[in-house]
């Protein structure tokens, strides 16, 4: 919220503002887990990440093992996905951008080295061959008919150093190619555009580079989609590195949205196309936690002739709900688009005053689980028995965070800003404490509320293949564990690469809560 201009944020986002102005804004939208992989899994499957059936996930967390929800909920050819369901309904489907929902398969980097020069014909040929393999595997796993400008993971995982930077214009080109090929075809279309913003490496580091050098080889036509780089660069003068990164990322994302709108207009299909914008998670200090700062996200839906322009809805919506809602819009029969986790908000799109069908929000991240009903929210931190035993025996120093990784940056930032981070039971009244600074779980006055939410959460957890017990863990109440918590916090955040020395201290609670304000700013 703090980045978007239409929420009074610090960056100009005129195209996203336009989407908010012409469509419906959801004020209580949540992802399923505040990390890219599990969040995107929920949107494309309609299920929470704990329902992942991929062999890698099941091997890592056999029956009886508490799943650690992180970058491990993969999709494979046996997964029921939204593109597969829509294909059965007669749609042509496509995606462009970041995937990050599959294991690394064959050695797609064969022959490519860190110092490979993309300008050399032999390297260009290897890149094209690799990209063909990536897109073939992605289509097989996902069910998409087309995968254009697809990135298997993150740009900073690119083996060829000269290409290890964001290339949003290339992703935009892939999305627009799909629209031009299918936007006016006999079949209706579904396009999933997965941007890599705002994410490391620094977005500004890509400015000034020749964007025609892409992960799939040289493509001079990409330059068309990078128009405006000079203007972005001019706005970075005098800015610190961290702000250059954020400002560039938002500018590139907004430019991508603008290019997509231009293409819909060019094809004459804008008034017959539903556009949905929803990030897969929010930013620090909430990423990779069960706190609102990571889970609560913007959601805009523009459905010409259906969603009232510049309207807002207070209905609860979560990532898995996109699956059923889109399927319902497409006319997919109920029996083919239902999971225990999804709730359609189809009726809300027609009338923003409708309450929707969801009465709670479920949270999962790492070893933490949570539930919110009304203003009250309960979080349970329950590391696996193996992790607890390692802490007790001293095999693991410090208190291990939600993700069970010693120096995991997002987790380290969060524990420095949420006092109850390591409390195994946490209760918050979001009406009076929206930034989750006061844990009420130990207050006798809230014992009934705590018991009620704990029961509701346990009932939800019992529906998953791997049951997570909410019984308290004695070791987490011990002085030894409290000492380990202090040791962990003492690590600070100096090692976190995106909190460079010039980055200002994160202000939490913030002086200005942009998520509650909304001021559409339109230009042009």
């Amino acid at each position: 919220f703090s980045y978007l201009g239409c929420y009074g944020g610090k960056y100009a986002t005129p195209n996203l503002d336009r989407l908010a102005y012409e469509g419906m804004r959801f004020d209580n939208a949540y992802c399923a887990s505040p990390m890219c992989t599990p969040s995107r899994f929920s949107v494309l499957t309609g299920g929470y990440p704990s329902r992942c059936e991929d062999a890698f996930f099941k091997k890592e967390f056999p029956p009886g093992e508490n799943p650690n929800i992180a970058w491990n909920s993969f999709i494979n050819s046996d997964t029921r996905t939204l593109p597969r369901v829509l294909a059965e309904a007669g749609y042509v489907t496509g995606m462009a951008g970041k995937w990050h929902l599959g294991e690394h398969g064959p050695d797609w980097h064969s022959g490519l080295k860190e110092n490979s020069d993309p300008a050399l014909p032999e390297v260009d040929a290897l890149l094209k061959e690799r990209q063909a393999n990536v897109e073939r595997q992605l289509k097989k796993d996902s069910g998409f008919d087309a995968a254009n400008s697809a990135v298997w993971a993150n740009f900073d995982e690119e083996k060829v150093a000269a290409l290890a930077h964001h290339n949003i214009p290339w992703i935009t080109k892939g999305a627009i190619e799909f629209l031009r090929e299918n936007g006016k075809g006999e079949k209706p279309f579904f396009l999933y555009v997965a941007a890599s913003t705002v994410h490391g490496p620094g977005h500004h580091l890509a400015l000034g580079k020749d964007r025609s050098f892409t992960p799939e080889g040289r493509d001079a036509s990409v330059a068309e989609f990078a128009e405006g780089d000079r203007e972005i660069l001019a706005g970075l003068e005098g800015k610190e590195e961290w702000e250059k990164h954020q400002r560039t990322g938002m500018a590139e994302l907004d430019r991508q949205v603008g290019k997509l709108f231009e293409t819909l207009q060019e094809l004459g299909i804008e008034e017959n196309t539903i556009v949905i914008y929803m990030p897969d998670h929010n930013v620090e200090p909430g990423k990779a936690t069960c706190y609102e700062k990571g889970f609560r996200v913007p959601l805009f839906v523009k459905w010409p002739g259906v969603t009232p322009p510049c309207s807002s809805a207070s209905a609860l919506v979560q990532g898995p709900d996109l699956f059923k809602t889109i399927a319902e819009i497409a006319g997919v029969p109920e029996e083919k688009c239902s999971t225990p986790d999804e709730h359609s908000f189809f009726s809300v799109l027609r009338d923003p005053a409708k309450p929707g069908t969801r009465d709670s929000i479920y949270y999962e991240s790492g070893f933490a689980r949570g539930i919110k009903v009304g203003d009250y929210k309960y979080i349970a931190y329950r590391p696996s028995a193996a992790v607890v035993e390692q802490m007790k025996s001293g095999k693991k120093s410090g208190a291990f965070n939600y993700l069970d990784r010693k120096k995991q940056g997002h987790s380290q930032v969060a524990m420095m800003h949420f006092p109850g981070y390591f409390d195994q039971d946490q209760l918050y009244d979001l009406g009076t404490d929206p930034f989750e600074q006061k844990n009420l779980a130990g207050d006798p006055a809230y014992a009934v509320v705590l018991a009620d939410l704990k029961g509701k959460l346990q009932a939800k957890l019992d529906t998953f293949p791997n049951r997570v017990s909410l019984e308290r863990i004695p070791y987490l109440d011990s002085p030894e564990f409290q000492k380990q918590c202090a040791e962990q916090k003492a690590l600070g955040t100096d090692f976190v690469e995106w909190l460079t020395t010039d980055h200002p201290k994160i202000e939490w609670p913030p002086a200005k809560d942009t998520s509650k304000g909304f001021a559409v700013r339109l230009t042009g």
Side-chain angles (χ1 to χ4, degrees), residues 103-137:
E103 295 180 66
H104 281 289
D107 184 11
W108 293 322
H109 296 141
S110 180
L112 293 170
K113 308 296 180 185
E114 183 178 358
N115 62 351
S116 294
D117 184 355
L120 296 176
E122 58 268 30
V123 174
D124 186 75
L126 287 172
L127 289 170
K128 286 180 167 60
E129 179 184 356
R130 181 188 68 177
Q131 188 66 17
N133 291 333
V134 166
E135 295 183 357
R136 186 181 304 112
Q137 185 68 43

Side-chain angles (χ1 to χ4, degrees), residues 239-307:
K239 307 295 183 185
E240 302 287 2
E241 290 297 299
W242 64 270
E243 187 171 3
K244 289 180 180 179
H245 164 62
Q246 293 177 1
R247 187 177 291 272
T248 303
M250 291 307 298
E252 290 221 274
L253 173 63
D254 194 71
R255 178 173 61 184
Q256 181 180 73
V257 172
K259 292 283 187 183
L260 293 173
F261 268 128
E262 287 175 11
T263 304
L264 295 178
Q265 292 170 341
E266 166 198 316
L267 296 173
I269 60 173
E270 183 181 8
E271 294 306 306
N272 194 35
T273 302
I274 301 170
V275 179
I276 300 173
Y277 169 77
M278 185 180 189
D280 53 9
H281 56 74
N282 214 311
V283 296
E284 287 78 21
K287 186 176 178 181
T289 74
C290 281
Y291 296 112
E292 299 294 285
K293 178 60 177 174
F295 264 88
R296 193 155 169 247
V297 294
L299 170 61
F300 307 134
V301 180
K302 179 190 175 187
W303 186 354
V306 177
T307 51

Side-chain angles (χ1 to χ4, degrees), residues 126-173:
L126 287 172
L127 289 170
K128 286 180 167 60
E129 179 184 356
R130 181 188 68 177
Q131 188 66 17
N133 291 333
V134 166
E135 295 183 357
R136 186 181 304 112
Q137 185 68 43
L138 195 160
K139 288 189 289 185
K140 178 182 176 182
D141 288 349
S142 66
F144 281 110
D145 295 314
N148 298 347
S149 302
V151 186
W152 188 255
N154 289 313
F155 278 106
D156 54 4
E157 296 176 54
E158 165 63 56
K159 187 170 186 178
V160 179
L163 300 173
H165 57 77
H166 292 274
N167 197 331
I168 309 301
W170 173 61
I171 293 176
T172 305
K173 174 183 178 289

Side-chain angles (χ1 to χ4, degrees), residues 9 17 32 39 44 52 62 77 92 96 177 198 206 209 213 260-261 306 349 356 381 401 436-437 447 449 458-459:
D17 296 353
S39 179
L44 291 176
C52 181
S77 58
V92 59
E177 281 181 346
V198 173
K209 293 185 182 295
F213 289 108
L260 293 173
F261 268 128
V306 177
L349 295 175
Y381 165 55
N401 55 52
E436 296 162 287
Q437 297 294 293
V449 176
Q458 186 66 71

Side-chain angles (χ1 to χ4, degrees), residues 218-241:
R218 185 78 180 270
D219 184 348
S221 68
V222 174
E224 171 192 345
F225 306 95
E227 294 171 352
D229 272 8
R230 289 184 179 180
E231 289 80 358
I232 296 175
L233 273 169
L236 302 182
E237 189 173 350
K239 307 295 183 185
E240 302 287 2
E241 290 297 299

Side-chain angles (χ1 to χ4, degrees), residues 201-457:
H203 283 282
H204 59 295
L205 301 178
L207 296 175
K209 293 185 182 295
D210 186 344
R211 308 292 187 101
S212 68
F213 289 108
T214 80
E216 64 177 333
R218 185 78 180 270
D219 184 348
S221 68
V222 174
E224 171 192 345
F225 306 95
E227 294 171 352
D229 272 8
R230 289 184 179 180
E231 289 80 358
I232 296 175
L233 273 169
L236 302 182
E237 189 173 350
K239 307 295 183 185
E240 302 287 2
E241 290 297 299
W242 64 270
E243 187 171 3
K244 289 180 180 179
H245 164 62
Q246 293 177 1
R247 187 177 291 272
T248 303
M250 291 307 298
E252 290 221 274
L253 173 63
D254 194 71
R255 178 173 61 184
Q256 181 180 73
V257 172
K259 292 283 187 183
L260 293 173
F261 268 128
E262 287 175 11
T263 304
L264 295 178
Q265 292 170 341
E266 166 198 316
L267 296 173
I269 60 173
E270 183 181 8
E271 294 306 306
N272 194 35
T273 302
I274 301 170
V275 179
I276 300 173
Y277 169 77
M278 185 180 189
D280 53 9
H281 56 74
N282 214 311
V283 296
E284 287 78 21
K287 186 176 178 181
T289 74
C290 281
Y291 296 112
E292 299 294 285
K293 178 60 177 174
F295 264 88
R296 193 155 169 247
V297 294
L299 170 61
F300 307 134
V301 180
K302 179 190 175 187
W303 186 354
V306 177
T307 51
C310 208
S311 58
S312 63
S314 60
L316 289 177
V317 174
Q318 197 164 18
D321 305 344
L322 290 176
F323 184 106
K324 187 170 185 179
T325 303
I326 293 171
E328 188 172 351
I329 291 171
V332 176
E334 170 75 18
E335 63 271 15
K336 292 188 176 182
C337 64
S338 292
T339 75
D341 304 325
E342 58 193 16
H343 296 258
S344 172
F345 56 94
F346 180 86
S347 62
V348 182
L349 295 175
R350 296 186 179 277
D351 181 0
K354 293 280 187 181
T357 58
R358 178 180 285 278
D359 58 10
S360 65
I361 294 295
Y362 166 72
Y363 305 77
E364 58 181 24
S365 181
F367 285 128
R369 306 289 187 270
I371 193 168
K372 179 176 87 76
V373 179
D375 282 340
Y376 287 112
K377 177 178 175 181
Y378 168 65
I379 299 175
Y381 165 55
R382 297 293 189 272
S384 70
V387 168
V388 172
E389 186 57 39
Q390 288 174 327
M391 288 190 290
K392 288 173 67 175
S393 67
K395 289 183 179 179
K396 286 183 180 251
S397 61
F400 264 62
N401 55 52
Y402 293 0
L403 297 184
D404 188 20
R405 302 182 185 192
K406 177 67 176 178
K407 295 180 74 172
Q408 203 284 318
H410 309 301
S411 303
Q412 193 67 23
V413 172
M415 73 180 67
M416 306 299 285
H417 292 85
F418 295 96
Y421 182 91
F422 285 113
D423 295 349
Q424 59 178 319
D425 287 319
Q426 301 171 45
L427 177 66
Y428 300 102
D429 180 353
L430 299 177
T432 59
D433 179 25
F435 306 111
E436 296 162 287
Q437 297 294 293
K438 185 177 181 180
N439 182 6
L440 302 172
D443 188 334
Y446 294 90
V448 173
V449 176
L450 177 64
D452 178 60
L453 289 184
K454 196 170 185 177
K456 285 182 168 65
L457 178 57

